[in-house]
Amino acid sequence: MTDPRLAGRRVHVKVPATTANLGPGFDTLGLALAVYDELDVAVRDAPGATVVVHGVGEGEVPTDETNLVVRSIRHTFDAYGIPMPGLDLVARNVIPHGRGMGSSGAAIVAGVMAAKGLLEGIVDIDSAGLLARATELEGHPDNVAPALFGGLTIAWMAEDGPQHKRLTVHRGVSLLVCVPETSTMSTALARSLQPESVPHADAIFNVSRSALLIAALIQSPELLFASTEDRLHQNYRAAAMPETDALVQALRAKGYAAVVSGAGPSVLVLCGDPAERLAAAEVVAAASTTPWQAHMLAVDFKGATVVPNPVETVA
């Protein structure tokens, strides 16, 4: 039975795409991107849930209670001991699926944020609660943290759950995200390609580069190329994404700070200014034999938002 306090409630949610790892910051660093999925949710009298999907995933993702967004809403309601009411959802998706831009993390965050909005005045879900619920579903916080809070995030696990620190990116940093038109990569497959242990020297190498990358992103963009070197994950995954690896190597040979975006196969280029980004895009067009869509993106600084009882109705 639907909690009478939830009757008639509606929310509108907006969640940014993300790019994680950023080269050396494996499972730790993430950036929010100014590309957004949007979601409208309305409480209904009938139990269960139905989902209408527009855009990316239309005709492909589940439209019932097995949908990841619905499962995330239910997970959040369950965490606070309140039964999920019947729901109607309309998703307008722009974030590519399986391309290393945080689509699953965005879906999870959309559900958690929708639950937060629906439960407003009934349960107060703070930032720690949002991150905890999202991480429980995602398994690691490096994508969900920037999707929730925007900007550059450092995420880590502590005894009392996932933690994060949000930082503001230097205004000179410009992002180029190169998305392949056809190939995808499963995060689970990408993780399965990594060894259980790495050489001590490689671990030290990545610690130094990760620390340097923070300085480069918030203060010294001229250090972006040196700070994006990696020995923990990209080489192990290269054989599964030959086109991605070839593009990363071609860009780095020209001096551009190119890395694999998340689990791939998209490529992220961190540039020190807009002119450098334009030049990097020209290298992509000239060097790749596989069709790539080059997106010149801004960093999202707001993170996910939820508006209870929006003016527009769900349709």
Side-chain angles (χ1 to χ4, degrees), residues 7-44:
R9 292 198 173 193
R10 297 179 290 112
V11 294
H12 178 79
V13 177
K14 187 175 181 180
V15 183
T18 55
T19 178
N21 302 329
L22 313 183
F26 182 65
D27 273 6
T28 301
L29 301 181
L31 273 172
L33 306 174
V35 177
Y36 306 93
D37 282 354
E38 298 192 50
L39 176 72
D40 287 293
V41 184
V43 174
R44 69 184 191 196

XYZ file of all heavy atoms in Angstrom, residues 7-44:
279
model
N 1.410 10.370 -1.931
C 0.380 10.508 -2.967
C 0.548 11.804 -3.751
O 0.712 12.889 -3.173
C -1.004 10.453 -2.331
N 0.549 11.679 -5.074
C 0.608 12.840 -5.951
C 1.986 13.456 -6.122
O 2.135 14.470 -6.824
N 2.997 12.877 -5.527
C 4.328 13.484 -5.621
C 4.962 13.232 -6.989
O 4.796 12.160 -7.582
C 5.243 12.961 -4.515
C 4.811 13.420 -3.131
C 5.914 13.291 -2.107
N 5.518 13.900 -0.846
C 6.348 14.166 0.155
N 7.640 13.877 0.046
N 5.899 14.729 1.266
N 5.701 14.223 -7.455
C 6.429 14.128 -8.732
C 7.782 14.793 -8.550
O 7.938 15.728 -7.765
C 5.664 14.848 -9.851
C 4.307 14.260 -10.166
C 3.597 15.046 -11.272
N 3.180 16.370 -10.796
C 3.693 17.518 -11.211
N 4.658 17.520 -12.122
N 3.242 18.668 -10.752
N 8.777 14.316 -9.327
C 10.105 14.943 -9.307
C 10.691 14.958 -10.707
O 10.351 14.127 -11.559
C 11.084 14.207 -8.358
C 10.639 14.321 -6.916
C 11.257 12.752 -8.767
N 11.578 15.917 -10.916
C 12.366 15.983 -12.144
C 13.842 15.921 -11.750
O 14.296 16.685 -10.889
C 12.096 17.276 -12.914
C 12.931 17.406 -14.157
N 12.619 16.750 -15.331
C 14.076 18.100 -14.407
C 13.522 17.036 -16.248
N 14.424 17.855 -15.716
N 14.581 15.005 -12.375
C 15.981 14.769 -12.036
C 16.858 14.996 -13.270
O 16.483 14.630 -14.388
C 16.185 13.322 -11.523
C 17.655 13.043 -11.225
C 15.334 13.070 -10.289
N 18.014 15.589 -13.043
C 18.990 15.817 -14.105
C 20.356 15.351 -13.600
O 20.793 15.757 -12.519
C 19.029 17.308 -14.458
C 19.883 17.661 -15.664
C 19.736 19.158 -15.970
C 20.553 19.565 -17.187
N 20.404 21.021 -17.486
N 21.022 14.482 -14.385
C 22.276 13.863 -13.942
C 23.329 13.986 -15.036
O 23.069 13.647 -16.198
C 22.079 12.369 -13.599
C 23.378 11.758 -13.072
C 20.965 12.188 -12.586
N 24.550 14.435 -14.689
C 25.597 14.560 -15.704
C 26.285 13.238 -16.015
O 26.318 12.321 -15.179
C 26.591 15.533 -15.058
C 26.450 15.265 -13.593
C 24.983 14.968 -13.383
N 26.839 13.169 -17.214
C 27.756 12.085 -17.550
C 29.032 12.265 -16.741
O 29.278 13.323 -16.149
C 28.068 12.106 -19.047
N 29.853 11.227 -16.713
C 31.122 11.315 -15.996
C 32.221 10.615 -16.782
O 31.954 9.783 -17.660
C 31.035 10.666 -14.607
O 30.581 9.303 -14.742
C 30.088 11.430 -13.699
N 33.441 10.952 -16.453
C 34.597 10.224 -16.957
C 35.460 9.895 -15.751
O 35.756 10.776 -14.933
C 35.372 11.031 -18.013
O 36.520 10.269 -18.443
C 35.801 12.392 -17.514
N 35.817 8.634 -15.593
C 36.520 8.187 -14.389
C 37.944 7.737 -14.720
O 38.295 7.527 -15.886
C 35.758 7.058 -13.723
N 38.728 7.605 -13.678
C 40.134 7.181 -13.710
C 41.069 8.313 -14.135
O 42.067 8.580 -13.493
C 40.358 5.955 -14.601
C 39.532 4.759 -14.187
O 39.240 4.584 -13.006
N 39.120 3.949 -15.148
N 40.775 8.957 -15.273
C 41.577 10.082 -15.761
C 43.039 9.690 -15.941
O 43.945 10.499 -15.765
C 41.472 11.283 -14.814
C 40.062 11.683 -14.348
C 40.132 12.925 -13.480
C 39.123 11.864 -15.510
N 43.254 8.435 -16.308
C 44.613 7.934 -16.471
C 45.058 7.220 -15.218
O 44.667 6.074 -14.966
N 45.859 7.869 -14.364
C 46.434 7.166 -13.210
C 45.504 6.997 -12.018
O 45.767 6.174 -11.141
C 47.617 8.063 -12.825
C 47.180 9.435 -13.221
C 46.416 9.221 -14.501
N 44.398 7.747 -11.953
C 43.553 7.744 -10.760
C 42.536 6.630 -10.743
O 41.332 6.864 -10.518
N 42.971 5.402 -10.938
C 42.077 4.253 -11.091
C 41.173 4.078 -9.880
O 41.637 4.004 -8.741
C 42.908 2.986 -11.317
C 42.096 1.748 -11.530
C 41.277 1.629 -12.645
C 42.127 0.709 -10.625
C 40.510 0.493 -12.855
C 41.373 -0.432 -10.826
C 40.570 -0.534 -11.934
N 39.864 4.016 -10.142
C 38.839 3.805 -9.116
C 38.812 4.904 -8.052
O 38.258 4.706 -6.973
C 39.025 2.444 -8.427
C 38.319 1.318 -9.162
O 37.778 1.579 -10.258
O 38.321 0.182 -8.650
N 39.392 6.060 -8.364
C 39.518 7.116 -7.367
C 39.082 8.483 -7.884
O 38.349 9.206 -7.210
C 40.981 7.224 -6.883
O 41.383 5.975 -6.323
C 41.146 8.308 -5.834
N 39.525 8.842 -9.093
C 39.269 10.173 -9.630
C 38.155 10.142 -10.669
O 38.039 9.186 -11.438
C 40.533 10.744 -10.271
C 41.753 10.893 -9.360
C 42.917 11.504 -10.142
C 41.429 11.724 -8.134
N 37.356 11.197 -10.697
C 36.306 11.318 -11.694
C 35.966 12.767 -11.960
O 36.157 13.638 -11.106
N 35.469 13.026 -13.162
C 35.036 14.355 -13.570
C 33.592 14.283 -14.048
O 33.212 13.348 -14.754
C 35.891 14.870 -14.732
C 37.188 15.606 -14.451
C 37.929 15.833 -15.767
C 36.935 16.935 -13.758
N 32.803 15.286 -13.693
C 31.444 15.400 -14.216
C 31.472 16.173 -15.528
O 32.180 17.181 -15.652
C 30.544 16.111 -13.210
N 30.716 15.691 -16.509
C 30.688 16.278 -17.843
C 29.338 16.943 -18.101
O 28.298 16.452 -17.656
C 30.926 15.193 -18.901
C 32.184 14.340 -18.738
C 32.187 13.214 -19.774
C 33.437 15.195 -18.864
N 29.370 18.032 -18.858
C 28.140 18.787 -19.138
C 27.329 18.134 -20.256
O 27.056 18.716 -21.304
C 28.470 20.230 -19.479
N 26.965 16.875 -20.025
C 26.049 16.099 -20.872
C 25.094 15.419 -19.907
O 25.545 14.819 -18.926
C 26.797 15.042 -21.716
C 25.819 14.214 -22.522
C 27.822 15.687 -22.610
N 23.788 15.479 -20.164
C 22.850 15.111 -19.114
C 21.759 14.149 -19.561
O 21.200 14.278 -20.654
C 22.171 16.374 -18.558
C 23.139 17.417 -18.089
C 23.557 18.429 -18.958
C 23.658 17.385 -16.800
C 24.463 19.397 -18.540
C 24.568 18.346 -16.372
C 24.962 19.351 -17.243
O 25.869 20.300 -16.833
N 21.463 13.177 -18.678
C 20.223 12.418 -18.758
C 19.204 13.095 -17.844
O 19.558 13.604 -16.770
C 20.433 10.974 -18.301
C 21.106 10.104 -19.340
O 21.313 10.579 -20.476
O 21.454 8.951 -19.002
N 17.933 13.085 -18.267
C 16.871 13.684 -17.460
C 15.776 12.656 -17.215
O 15.533 11.770 -18.039
C 16.316 14.926 -18.142
C 17.380 16.015 -18.321
C 16.806 17.350 -18.736
O 15.845 17.815 -18.083
O 17.311 17.923 -19.719
N 15.115 12.811 -16.082
C 14.138 11.818 -15.647
C 12.980 12.505 -14.953
O 13.177 13.382 -14.110
C 14.812 10.841 -14.667
C 13.936 9.777 -14.013
C 13.550 8.710 -15.031
C 14.665 9.142 -12.828
N 11.764 12.109 -15.330
C 10.559 12.541 -14.616
C 9.937 11.318 -13.953
O 9.801 10.252 -14.582
C 9.551 13.175 -15.576
C 9.998 14.549 -16.045
O 10.051 15.452 -15.207
O 10.294 14.700 -17.249
N 9.571 11.475 -12.696
C 8.966 10.375 -11.939
C 7.705 10.881 -11.253
O 7.714 11.963 -10.650
C 9.941 9.820 -10.878
C 9.314 8.615 -10.175
C 11.270 9.440 -11.496
N 6.638 10.113 -11.346
C 5.379 10.464 -10.692
C 4.845 9.258 -9.924
O 4.871 8.129 -10.430
C 4.346 10.919 -11.719
N 4.380 9.507 -8.714
C 3.748 8.454 -7.909
C 2.344 8.198 -8.450
O 1.613 9.134 -8.790
C 3.684 8.868 -6.432
C 2.887 7.844 -5.620
C 5.090 9.030 -5.861
N 1.971 6.920 -8.546
C 0.635 6.540 -9.011
C -0.008 5.605 -7.995
O 0.668 5.098 -7.071
C 0.734 5.846 -10.364
C 1.378 4.479 -10.294
C 1.558 3.836 -11.656
N 1.935 2.433 -11.537
C 2.439 1.710 -12.527
N 2.631 2.266 -13.713
N 2.735 0.442 -12.337
